[in-house]
Amino acid sequence: PAEPLFRSTQPSNKPTESTTSKPADSGTTEPAKPVRPAETPKPTPSATATYYRGVKATLLNAYRSGQKSMGDAALEHSNVTVFKEGSTYHYIVRFHDLSTQGFTGGISKFWVNGTEYPVNSTRGANNQVEVHFTSTEQLKSVPVSVFVQVMEEIMPGGGKQNATLSFDWSSVTEQ
């Protein structure tokens, strides 16, 4: 086969390539920001992982006990994946777009206990997305925040909303 006209721009790990002649990139005083992949690969748990089938989730109002959050209608209550690998519980929750007041949209950012986790498209119906986060605990509930661009458009400053993600373990089977 013919040699390609353009070579890969990936750096080579050949020992002949000198790294001392390249200028150091130390001119900025800003700390390095962690890189978040646009699409997080699906977790591939080992054969020893324990799956919890039948976990149901509800998105509750952060300020009114027992009242569902507006975003609860976007949460796929029974489409929750929970598994435990070692001492870590993995939670994968899924959401889809909602329509309200002539606007349609879904969550684009998600935080658990103040830590942002990537929101990844599943390419499912109604722009389904999923969020994968971990905990050392079997959670009954956890404080979350969601960002919905459409809410920001309806009411500037109102795109980020706090809520409580609640898990129902009452009809769970382990596998």
Side-chain angles (χ1 to χ4, degrees):
E3 209 38 49
L5 292 175
F6 299 100
R7 295 204 178 269
S8 168
T9 57
Q10 294 298 317
S12 168
N13 61 358
K14 291 179 185 165
T16 56
E17 204 174 284
S18 171
T19 55
T20 55
S21 64
K22 293 179 185 170
D25 189 18
S26 61
T28 62
T29 55
E30 241 179 276
K33 290 189 172 74
V35 176
R36 291 248 166 134
E39 294 287 328
T40 302
K42 289 200 188 295
T44 49
S46 68
T48 59
T50 302
Y51 274 84
Y52 298 92
R53 306 283 182 206
V55 176
K56 293 192 178 5
T58 307
L59 199 58
L60 300 172
N61 186 295
Y63 310 105
R64 294 189 197 101
S65 182
Q67 183 178 328
K68 289 183 179 178
S69 165
M70 282 178 59
D72 183 66
L75 176 65
E76 298 183 5
H77 306 98
S78 298
N79 193 2
V80 176
T81 302
V82 181
F83 63 91
K84 184 179 182 185
E85 182 130 45
S87 61
T88 303
Y89 287 88
H90 293 256
Y91 296 85
I92 303 171
V93 291
R94 295 170 185 89
F95 296 85
H96 57 264
D97 279 4
L98 280 183
S99 294
T100 182
Q101 301 175 13
F103 292 88
T104 299
I107 72 163
S108 57
K109 294 183 180 182
F110 191 86
W111 295 262
V112 178
N113 276 324
T115 300
E116 185 174 3
Y117 288 86
V119 175
N120 297 304
S121 173
T122 64
R123 296 175 178 62
N126 295 317
N127 293 319
Q128 183 190 57
V129 295
E130 67 183 19
V131 178
H132 175 197
F133 64 94
T134 59
S135 174
T136 55
E137 300 171 41
Q138 182 176 319
L139 299 170
K140 301 281 186 262
S141 67
V142 65
V144 299
S145 299
V146 298
F147 182 84
V148 180
Q149 184 60 44
V150 113
M151 294 299 292
E152 185 71 21
E153 290 166 15
I154 293 170
M155 185 179 70
K160 186 174 181 179
Q161 295 291 320
N162 295 327
T164 300
L165 186 58
S166 173
F167 294 99
D168 176 0
W169 296 82
S170 63
S171 50
V172 167
T173 56
E174 289 186 22
Q175 278 187 327

